[in-house]
């Protein structure tokens, strides 16, 4: 098929566009109107809620309670500013590409691809890490774990997504609500045992700036950042539901900001009440910190501990389930536009992108067999924070270069807000490297393979007429008029 620079896309010396027939897009349609803003809030919380159950507490071992508290405030600020910025971008460019679509509009095809694949690294790898944690949970609860559990969860939840997005989102919402109820039970149960002295029971070291508040000194704040991210990681995936939302220009901003406010409340309450009731020292290395906190506070097993332990599995399932949705929509958008193999974006009768669900699932299952949940999460964090830098740069660029674009929702504070998120995202990228150098190797290899595919093949075979390219073409035309 010959390349064509005029087919609904701006010309570029570094990429080539190809015309496709109308049947191409008919084979690649998502189910319209499947989600309103309430379901989007549930989706945003579902992405993240497993981080409330485990993972965050390892930051206590890196920075003490004070270091983790300051790191959480920094990351909460980053995510809140980012969600305000993404709310504007998603109301302007409501496509399934999410961050890829935003960066495509700001920086062209290369910027779109680099952002989209960074997001893809985050979402394709995170379920593999969560599968490892689900396996460990099932082992402790039922005596069955390992590859059989990983495989069963991948098959069941990918199958539900293939059946239909409306059903999947509703089930996801129910699972998330159950997990949120268990968090509320935990918080209510721990409040009577709160003692501020428990927060500072980790022994002070000789590090620079060390105190009872910062037992590992100033560097502890930096080291705790990747674990503070676990309270919020993946909430930015709400815009990936744009093409399945009833009123995306209204619902996406509400969903993003609503989910972030819920997560912010949970993060601060859990960080204060958990260590405040059980002690930071007792939780800093726990694989199941909420149950550990209840056991410590009540002097043994209780019905609350059993309930939180059992329903904690629902929290992991909610994140596993929802992030499968996220990676499939990111792959769908990149594939539909030709950045990834086009076959991946074909949808079935239920309007679900089957191969975009199944193939990453196979890869994720293979990665889960390593059992390296901690390493997989850190690679996912690298992809996430890199995409944050690029998306915030896109917000700033579009505000400066295209101030007259329609913005149904406008970010409070404008460029200042996205600049704060950009600076903090840069800090977070570096912090991830400091925790484990293997992150650099693993993430760099994956990223390099994807970039090579784009550089040598797919940039010469991009599809004209996709929603992201149409937005870019309209912007180009409007720019020429002014």
């Amino acid at each position: 098929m010959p390349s064509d620079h005029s087919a609904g896309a701006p010309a570029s010396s570094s990429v080539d566009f190809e015309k496709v027939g109308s049947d191409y897009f008919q084979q690649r349609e998502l189910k319209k109107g499947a989600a309103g803003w309430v379901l989007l809030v549930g989706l945003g919380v579902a992405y993240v809620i497993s981080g409330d159950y485990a993972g965050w507490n390892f930051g206590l071992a890196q920075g003490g309670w004070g270091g983790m508290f300051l790191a959480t405030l920094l990351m909460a600020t980053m995510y809140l500013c980012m969600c305000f910025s993404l709310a504007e971008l998603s109301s302007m460019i409501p496509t399934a590409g999410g961050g890829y679509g935003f960066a495509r509009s700001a920086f062209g095809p290369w910027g779109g691809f680099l952002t989209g694949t960074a997001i893809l690294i985050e979402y394709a790898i995170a379920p593999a890490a969560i599968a490892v944690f689900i396996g460990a949970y099932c082992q402790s609860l039922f005596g069955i774990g390992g590859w059989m559990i990983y495989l069963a969860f991948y098959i069941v939840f990918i199958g539900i997504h293939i059946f239909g997005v409306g059903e999947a989102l509703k089930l996801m919402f129910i699972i998330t609500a159950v997990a949120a109820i268990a968090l509320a039970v935990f918080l209510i149960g721990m409040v009577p045992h709160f003692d501020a002295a428990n927060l500072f029971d980790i022994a002070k070291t000789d590090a620079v700036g060390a105190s009872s508040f910062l037992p590992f000194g100033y560097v502890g704040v930096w080291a705790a950042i990747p674990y503070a991210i676990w309270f919020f990681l993946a909430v930015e995936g709400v815009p990936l539901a744009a093409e399945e939302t009833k009123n995306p220009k209204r619902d996406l901003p509400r969903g993003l900001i609503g989910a972030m406010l819920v997560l912010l409340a949970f993060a601060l309450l859990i960080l204060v009440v958990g260590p405040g009731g059980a002690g930071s020292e007792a939780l800093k290395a726990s694989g199941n910190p909420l149950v550990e906190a209840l056991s410590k506070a009540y002097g043994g097993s209780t019905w609350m501990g059993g309930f939180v332990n059992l329903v904690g599995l629902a929290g992991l399932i909610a994140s596993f389930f929802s992030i499968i949705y996220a990676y499939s929509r990111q792959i769908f958008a990149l594939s539909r536009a030709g950045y990834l193999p086009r076959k991946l974006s074909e949808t079935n009768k239920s309007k679900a992108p089957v191969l975009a669900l199944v193939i990453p699932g196979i890869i994720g299952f293979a990665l889960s067999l390593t059992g390296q949940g901690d390493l997989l999460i850190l690679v996912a964090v690298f992809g996430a924070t890199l995409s944050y830098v690029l998306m915030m740069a896109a917000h700033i660029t579009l505000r400066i270069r295209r101030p007259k674009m329609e913005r149904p929702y406008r970010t409070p504070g404008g460029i200042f807000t996205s600049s704060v998120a950009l600076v903090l995202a840069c800090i977070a990228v570096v912090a991830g490297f400091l925790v484990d150098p293997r992150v650099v190797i693993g993430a760099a290899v994956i990223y390099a393979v994807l970039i090579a595919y784009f550089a040598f093949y797919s940039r010469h075979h991009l599809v004209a007429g996709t929603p992201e390219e149409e937005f870019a073409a309209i912007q180009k035309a409007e720019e020429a008029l002014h």
Side-chain angles (χ1 to χ4, degrees), residues 99-443:
Y100 139 65
F102 310 151
R104 170 66 185 89
S105 292
F107 306 123
W110 269 101
F113 178 80
L114 292 173
T115 305
T117 47
I119 295 169
L120 186 55
I121 289 171
E122 172 190 1
Y123 287 136
I125 291 179
I130 296 170
V132 174
F133 301 144
I134 288 174
Y137 237 94
C138 288
Q139 184 68 51
S140 66
L141 283 171
F142 313 118
I144 304 172
W147 70 269
M148 290 184 293
I149 292 296
Y150 310 158
L151 182 60
F153 273 84
Y154 266 108
I155 290 174
V156 169
F157 289 108
I158 287 176
I160 293 171
H161 278 299
I162 290 173
F163 185 69
V165 65
E167 294 77 8
L169 286 176
K170 287 170 186 172
L171 180 58
M172 196 187 305
F173 189 88
I174 293 169
I175 296 171
T176 305
V178 171
I181 289 169
L183 289 180
V185 169
F186 167 78
L187 293 169
I188 293 168
M190 291 300 294
V191 166
H193 299 273
F194 178 82
D195 182 345
N198 290 335
L199 300 172
F200 312 114
D201 65 350
I202 294 177
K204 184 176 72 172
T205 66
D206 297 328
V208 176
S211 64
S212 59
F213 183 71
L214 294 174
F216 300 99
Y218 303 129
V219 73
V221 180
W222 188 286
I225 281 176
Y227 301 101
I229 286 175
W230 288 18
F231 276 130
F232 312 105
L233 180 69
V235 66
E236 75 281 357
V238 171
L240 293 169
E243 292 181 31
E244 294 156 289
T245 300
K246 292 175 183 175
N247 185 344
K249 292 183 178 182
R250 180 198 68 189
D251 293 343
L252 290 173
R254 287 184 180 182
L256 259 170
I257 296 167
M260 184 59 207
L261 293 176
V262 172
L263 293 167
L264 184 61
F266 273 138
L268 294 177
L269 287 169
I270 289 168
L271 184 57
V272 171
V273 173
S280 297
E281 180 69 37
L283 301 186
K284 70 178 185 181
S286 173
N288 199 348
L290 303 194
V291 176
E292 187 90 18
L294 286 167
S295 297
K296 184 79 186 301
Y298 285 89
S301 299
T302 65
W303 72 266
M304 282 185 292
F307 178 70
V308 171
N309 195 18
L310 183 60
V311 179
L313 184 59
L316 291 171
I317 291 171
S319 293
F320 180 77
F321 193 18
S322 57
I323 296 175
I324 286 174
Y325 171 85
Y327 77 55
S328 69
R329 271 46 182 182
Q330 186 66 75
I331 290 173
F332 168 83
L334 289 168
S335 166
R336 181 178 61 182
Y339 291 83
L340 294 177
R342 297 178 187 177
K343 196 76 175 171
L344 294 173
S345 54
E346 290 185 2
T347 53
N348 64 6
K349 291 180 180 179
S350 299
K351 305 299 182 184
V354 177
L355 291 179
L357 286 159
V358 172
I359 291 178
I362 294 170
I363 295 169
F365 170 66
L367 289 171
S368 71
L369 296 177
T370 66
Q372 299 290 315
D374 55 344
L375 175 57
L376 292 170
I377 279 289
L378 287 173
V379 175
V381 167
F382 167 76
T385 51
L386 184 59
S387 74
Y388 300 164
V389 171
L390 294 167
M391 288 190 292
M392 292 305 94
H395 180 273
I396 294 167
T397 299
L398 289 173
R399 271 291 184 108
I400 294 172
R401 291 185 183 172
R402 299 190 175 108
K404 295 184 179 180
M405 278 185 72
E406 182 189 1
R407 289 170 167 82
Y409 175 88
R410 297 184 70 86
T411 303
I415 287 177
F416 174 77
T417 300
S418 49
S419 297
V420 170
L422 175 62
V423 171
L424 290 171
C426 290
I427 292 171
V429 170
V430 178
F433 287 160
L434 294 179
V435 173
D436 193 329
R438 293 178 296 172
V439 172
V440 181
I441 300 169

